[in-house]
Amino acid sequence: MAISSPGGTNVFLFSQRELELPSSQTDYQLSGLSGGQNSIAASTRLEEKLSSVLANLNARYELKALNGRASVDADYAAYIDNTLVESQYQYRTEATPSTLATFFPLRVELRSLKGDFEAKTKSGIAFEAGLKVAQAQISTLPELLGSSPSFEALIPNLTTPFSYEEEVKAGYVSVSGARKILTWRVGLRVEHTNTQVRTNTLLIPRDY
């Protein structure tokens, strides 16, 4: 679904759901020799069920004057994915199979806000300046829905949460002009980035 308006606001929504039927199913069989003949020793089944949503929002406001122009842009994008993974493993000699069901939600968010200004004097000198803040967040919080004792050793690796956060702040200013055959420009740009990676036992911050 897409919506637009004269004011410059755009909305885009996309949804994909495959809940009733698994998007993939794989069967494995392990064979072994018994009495000189091949026999099925074990079987494995893996199923995945998917559900995802994507959204994007954009807004822009612009103001014009006689000698200048100012604008503000805002953007937001989000992607949400919910994946359910179910695994089943059974030896030929076992009456019931070993099962494992894990939920893997993934969320991605992108946000930005930008402002720009430009003006020109009567003598032909142009001035430009702008500021921007951008943020990104990625997170997954796995959840164990059910498990047989034979899968206990895998649980810590399958349920470890993870998140990544990034924030960028930037600004610029420039002055330019021309006189006869000479064209000149002077400018300055600054930027600061902060990132953080998190798990249950780990935190990695970085500033530059």
Side-chain angles (χ1 to χ4, degrees):
M1 177 179 66
I3 303 173
S4 62
S5 66
T9 301
N10 298 307
V11 179
F12 176 73
L13 297 176
F14 170 77
S15 177
Q16 174 184 338
R17 296 187 180 274
E18 299 178 8
L19 294 177
E20 296 181 358
L21 296 176
S23 60
S24 66
Q25 176 176 312
T26 308
D27 294 297
Y28 302 93
Q29 291 184 337
L30 304 180
S31 299
L33 287 175
S34 177
Q37 296 182 349
N38 285 330
S39 62
I40 303 302
S43 62
T44 300
R45 170 171 293 182
L46 177 66
E47 296 184 4
E48 293 184 357
K49 298 179 182 179
L50 307 179
S51 174
S52 59
V53 177
L54 173 66
N56 179 257
L57 307 175
N58 172 264
R60 176 179 175 85
Y61 180 77
E62 189 171 308
L63 177 64
K64 294 182 179 180
L66 292 177
N67 297 322
R69 181 180 65 177
S71 62
V72 177
D73 292 89
D75 289 280
Y76 174 80
Y79 174 75
I80 302 173
D81 177 78
N82 297 318
T83 300
L84 175 63
V85 179
E86 295 180 288
S87 179
Q88 189 178 90
Y89 186 84
Q90 183 175 11
Y91 278 104
R92 181 176 57 86
T93 56
E94 292 180 341
T96 58
S98 298
T99 59
L100 175 68
T102 312
F103 181 55
F104 292 96
L106 172 66
R107 186 180 185 94
V108 180
E109 290 186 89
L110 304 174
R111 294 181 291 269
S112 68
L113 180 64
K114 181 179 70 169
D116 295 286
F117 174 78
E118 58 184 53
K120 195 170 186 178
T121 65
K122 294 181 179 180
S123 59
I125 297 178
F127 174 80
E128 298 179 23
L131 295 172
K132 182 178 181 178
V133 178
Q135 296 176 330
Q137 292 181 324
I138 303 173
S139 63
T140 177
L141 300 172
E143 180 182 354
L144 183 67
L145 302 181
S147 172
S148 297
S150 56
F151 283 108
E152 287 183 357
L154 298 176
I155 293 176
N157 295 327
L158 295 176
T159 58
T160 300
F162 170 84
S163 67
Y164 172 82
E165 298 179 4
E166 178 182 284
E167 183 177 70
V168 180
K169 299 176 181 178
Y172 74 93
V173 59
S174 70
V175 181
S176 61
R179 185 176 180 85
K180 295 182 179 180
I181 62 172
L182 177 65
T183 300
W184 56 273
R185 177 184 290 270
V186 178
L188 175 67
R189 176 182 171 84
V190 294
E191 181 176 308
H192 175 260
T193 301
N194 172 263
T195 63
Q196 288 190 347
V197 177
R198 297 175 183 268
T199 66
N200 276 340
T201 58
L202 185 66
L203 172 61
I204 305 177
R206 187 183 180 193
D207 284 282
Y208 58 94

